[in-house]
Amino acid sequence: MGKLPQDKRLVKFLLSGHEKITRTNAIGLGTVKDPFYPKIYGVGYIGEGEYSTKHEKVYYTWHSMLQRCYDSKFHTNNPTYIGCIVCDSWHCFQNFAEWFNAQPNSGSTGYALDKDLLGDGKAYSPDTCTLLSIADNSRLAQS
């Protein structure tokens, strides 16, 4: 890497090892964030890529999936989710968003993320999940 401009610095995040070039004033303001720090329920992180958390439907779906698996407060009222996991690659929002947006019904309303139809009902992953209509998902959950 060549010499940086005077107003830029290379920051290395100690926990993730990620490196980022940022403005010097951003460091002083404390606005430099590590996109690989697992701040969502201790496992989820945004990563770097084309997908923004402003894509509300996909972000809400991802965040809710992590909550169902890793939020002990959620488990108090929803014990059937105890022991559920999310595959490592989906801990990164960018990876989940890429999969989600490639699904046939991702742009439609009335669909929910399902792990039961294709999988064992305990793991969220590209191989075990699909988007099902909310009605079909409810019927599957009751059977």
Side-chain angles (χ1 to χ4, degrees):
M1 180 182 307
K3 186 172 175 157
L4 294 173
Q6 189 174 354
D7 67 333
K8 303 272 183 153
R9 294 291 182 266
L10 176 65
V11 174
K12 182 173 183 173
F13 297 98
L14 298 177
L15 293 176
S16 71
H18 177 67
E19 294 181 344
K20 182 179 195 174
I21 296 174
T22 189
R23 293 185 157 290
T24 306
N25 67 341
I27 297 168
L29 293 171
T31 59
V32 183
K33 305 292 183 207
D34 182 355
F36 295 92
Y37 180 74
K39 66 180 184 176
I40 311 296
Y41 301 108
V43 297
Y45 58 94
I46 303 304
E48 288 184 327
E50 68 180 285
Y51 300 104
S52 164
T53 59
K54 290 180 174 62
H55 296 100
E56 292 178 15
K57 182 178 180 181
V58 67
Y59 180 76
Y60 175 79
T61 302
W62 176 75
H63 192 276
S64 296
M65 171 186 67
L66 293 173
Q67 179 184 38
R68 289 190 293 273
C69 293
Y70 302 112
D71 182 2
S72 58
K73 291 178 188 172
F74 181 84
H75 292 158
T76 300
N77 294 323
N78 302 278
T80 57
Y81 285 97
I82 295 172
C84 288
I85 62 166
V86 175
C87 70
D88 289 346
S89 69
W90 277 9
H91 290 179
C92 177
F93 173 68
Q94 299 299 314
N95 295 335
F96 177 80
E98 181 178 12
W99 174 87
F100 184 91
N101 287 324
Q103 300 310 298
N105 299 315
S106 66
S108 304
T109 58
Y111 285 83
L113 181 65
D114 175 77
K115 66 181 174 359
D116 301 312
L117 181 65
L118 302 177
D120 64 2
K122 288 293 184 182
Y124 289 91
S125 76
D127 296 328
T128 61
C129 287
T130 188
L131 296 181
L132 279 183
S133 72
I134 291 172
D136 288 343
N137 198 13
S138 294
R139 278 193 288 280
L140 187 61
Q142 294 170 358
S143 60

